[in-house]
Amino acid sequence: MKNIIVLVSGGGTNLQALIDAEKSGIIRDGRITCVISSNPSAYALERAANNGIKTRVLPRKEYSDSVSYSHAVLDALNEEKADLIVLAGFMTILDECVTKAYPYRIINVHPALIPSFCGEGFYGLKVHEAALTYGVKYSGATVHFVNEKADAGAIILQKPVEVKRSDTPEVLQKRIMEQAEWKILPEAVSLFCQDRIEIIDGKAFIKE
Ligand code: GAR
């Protein structure tokens, strides 16, 4: 059974999708053992507490830079004996001290089809604003491994979602969450926990 540590910063709907998937047996061979938040008032912390999951708060504001913050996160991950780390709406880019300590063991959900609308500065509603400004007809979500470059690690799963003419960033965000993120994130976590993701030449493939 793998220890899954979920890192959050906000509402935690992706965390909720993971909790629900664990309860319904969609996630096999893994359990969420700790939720770590960069934001003391994140609603995600309540979701974890309501489900009896241990929480830790590491406020980003209390650290002067990304490197010192990342070392604090790394210490917490080591203490929690993390097998898999899931960034579920975690709004801080982690320094390479974390990504190098956990190669191919950190996954992130991004609310667009990478390599579109991703990288530094593309997070939350900004991603959907950019997709609407460009005028794409499909956007979607991507689950990928985290490496030293923002949103550039090996892609595990992607799901396209239609963009409608009347969409606002908020409406598009909600449709992408419901139709893509909340489905492919638990699926990828389950595949990881069952050792069904293999890496060949830096790319991720699903073992049948
Ligand atoms: C989600 O849409 C997630 O994909 C996005 O923030 C939202 C968090 O919602 N993450 C990023 O933009 C990271 N680059 P949640 O807190 O309700 O899961």
Side-chain angles (χ1 to χ4, degrees):
M1 191 61 86
K2 290 187 168 61
N3 291 338
I4 305 166
I5 314 297
V6 186
L7 273 55
V8 297
S9 301
T13 63
N14 278 290
L15 168 67
Q16 190 66 54
L18 291 170
I19 293 170
D20 295 346
E22 185 185 326
K23 281 191 183 157
S24 66
I26 290 171
I27 295 179
R28 287 162 51 184
D29 304 327
R31 59 190 183 105
I32 304 166
T33 49
C34 183
V35 169
I36 301 176
S37 178
S38 62
N39 167 11
S41 52
Y43 184 66
L45 287 166
E46 275 184 51
R47 295 182 191 271
N50 289 343
N51 287 277
I53 300 168
K54 176 180 178 181
T55 59
R56 295 175 71 145
V57 180
L58 287 175
R60 175 65 183 86
K61 284 188 183 150
E62 287 182 8
Y63 296 81
S64 56
D65 55 42
S66 157
V67 176
S68 58
Y69 184 68
S70 297
H71 276 102
V73 171
L74 181 59
D75 288 346
L77 294 172
N78 291 339
E79 282 166 21
E80 296 301 332
K81 299 188 175 15
D83 294 308
L84 170 65
I85 299 142
V86 182
L87 311 188
F90 187 64
M91 297 306 181
T92 298
I93 292 181
L94 291 169
D95 176 71
E96 63 178 29
C97 72
V98 179
T99 52
K100 287 213 162 103
Y102 289 94
Y104 294 108
R105 284 166 68 192
I106 309 174
I107 68 176
N108 178 49
V109 60
H110 183 75
L113 294 174
I114 290 174
S116 291
F117 314 119
C118 65
E120 239 166 288
F122 285 100
Y123 57 87
L125 277 178
K126 289 179 194 287
V127 177
H128 307 296
E129 282 161 12
L132 291 175
T133 300
Y134 200 98
V136 291
K137 304 304 175 220
Y138 282 88
S139 188
T142 302
V143 178
H144 63 94
F145 284 110
V146 175
N147 65 9
E148 284 69 62
K149 280 194 187 163
D151 297 329
I155 291 172
I156 304 168
L157 295 174
Q158 290 189 298
K159 194 165 192 288
V161 172
E162 196 178 348
V163 179
K164 297 191 176 160
R165 190 170 177 166
S166 58
D167 277 348
T168 61
E170 290 80 4
V171 168
L172 180 59
Q173 178 183 53
K174 185 163 180 280
R175 186 179 316 111
I176 288 175
M177 283 176 157
E178 286 172 353
Q179 294 185 8
E181 295 185 50
W182 301 344
K183 293 188 163 73
I184 63 174
L185 182 61
E187 197 182 331
V189 166
S190 183
L191 288 167
F192 180 94
C193 290
Q194 295 171 72
D195 294 319
R196 285 186 54 204
I197 306 176
E198 62 183 340
I199 305 296
I200 301 170
D201 291 338
K203 296 184 191 64
F205 298 93
I206 310 303
K207 295 186 217 169
E208 290 308 320

